[in-house]
Amino acid sequence: MIVNQFYDKGLAHASYAIIRNGRMVVIDPARDPQPYYDFAEIHSADILGVIETHPHADFVSSHLEIHQTTGAVIYVSKLAGGTFPHETFDDGDVIQLDDIKLKAINTPGHSPDSICILLEDEKGKDCAIFTGDTLFAGDVGRPDLRETAGNITAKKEELARDMYHSTREKLMVLPKDVTVYPAHGPGSLCGKSMSPDLHTTIGKELRENYALQLMDELKFVQTLLADQPFMPKYFGYDVELNKTGAPGFAESINNVVKADSNIELEKGLLVIDTRPSQLYRKGHVKNSINLQDGEKFETWLGSVVGPGEAFYLIANTDEELDVMIKKAAKIGYERNIKAALLTPDSATVKSAIINLGDFKAHTDNYTIIDARNWAEINVGKLFADALTIPLPELRERLSEIPADKPIVVHCAAGYRSAAAAGIISGKIKAVPVYDLSEAVKEFN
């Protein structure tokens, strides 16, 4: 028996392949199905099934494409409302993979339709469980993502109560040596305090996971709902897209228009410039937003740009442009790209450069914007009088920023402030807008 984890660090997403005697099942596949095809070929295996633990909010799954390409059966809970061809997979249902079994367990909490998959080996022993977004290393799934999206919507308090019972009655009673394979690792926005471990055991989680400690239901609900991270704009969109199934990955990214770098850009459309901030500051398209290529590009793209918004995508080379298109596709945003292009000749707008000495000596002469997340802000502000507007909220809250003094934007390390400065300077023209960038570290 082979269990293989595929890990996408950008979205902190883990998917899995299970192979037994040439038969393979994939769990929670990423948007690009090719790694699963390659893995099956290496092991001379046929992909017979794809299991979705729930309709995911943070990435687009390739379950439908794998079914269309290989004929693999898609398995998902009857509660998910999937409109793609599928077989339901709920409590009591079993997939026989030669002489091993995959057994469905309904575990509502993160979503009403969440399932976990318990793996029984050839000796009849429960040896591993694939927990989707129900149980992570060090955490459990957040319960507040399905209040407005999905086949079944539920209040976060109701789902938190469901999570209490799913963990206590379904998971914590499993043998302590059962290996836990979650769908996410640290950095995912589907939980709030995941450990660095990409897999764990029931026993370790019973000892170390805050959510599995002794507490009553009310205390659990209060603890789980507290301090959850922000919700990107694209989450509800991806839930709905995963309910129907996304178009084929390669075909969809190949349909993105690659335009001449000097085309006339349509007025009013967003321009996302993915180049490093030092290049952006030297010259960029007017009113463009600097969302640099990086480990969390997908998350920030889907946090700043709404799922219904078209945008131009700029990169420095053809190779980098291809990478960025693929990253956009991981959250279903390739269809939002009006055109993808290399840096145009019109990228001549230079960013205002802060006089750091003057800022340090006279911070009162500046309006300071703290673009960090609320969890960071609540720990403590770097500048007492800063306006706190996290980057995901900034475009909707620009009217709150006064334009009577020069504006300085900061975050924790410079990535978010680069994007925020572009957003603000696109709206406010009366005063310079400065990105404190990495110099923020001098104030920590």
Side-chain angles (χ1 to χ4, degrees), residues 287-329:
N287 299 338
S288 60
I289 300 172
N290 186 206
L291 277 179
Q292 303 166 72
D293 182 16
E295 275 188 7
K296 298 300 178 186
F297 171 80
E298 303 94 322
T299 297
W300 292 117
L301 177 66
S303 300
V304 170
V305 180
E309 292 186 284
F311 61 90
Y312 292 102
L313 187 70
I314 291 176
N316 206 38
T317 67
D318 287 316
E319 293 78 11
E320 290 169 0
L321 200 58
D322 287 338
V323 168
M324 303 319 297
I325 292 170
K326 289 178 180 178
K327 286 190 175 187

Side-chain angles (χ1 to χ4, degrees), residues 25 128 158 162 213 215 218 236 250 293 306 311 320 324 343 367 371 444:
V25 167
E158 178 185 335
D162 287 342
Q213 303 313 303
M215 66 184 92
L218 177 59
D293 182 16
F311 61 90
E320 290 169 0
M324 303 319 297
T343 313
T367 295
N444 288 333

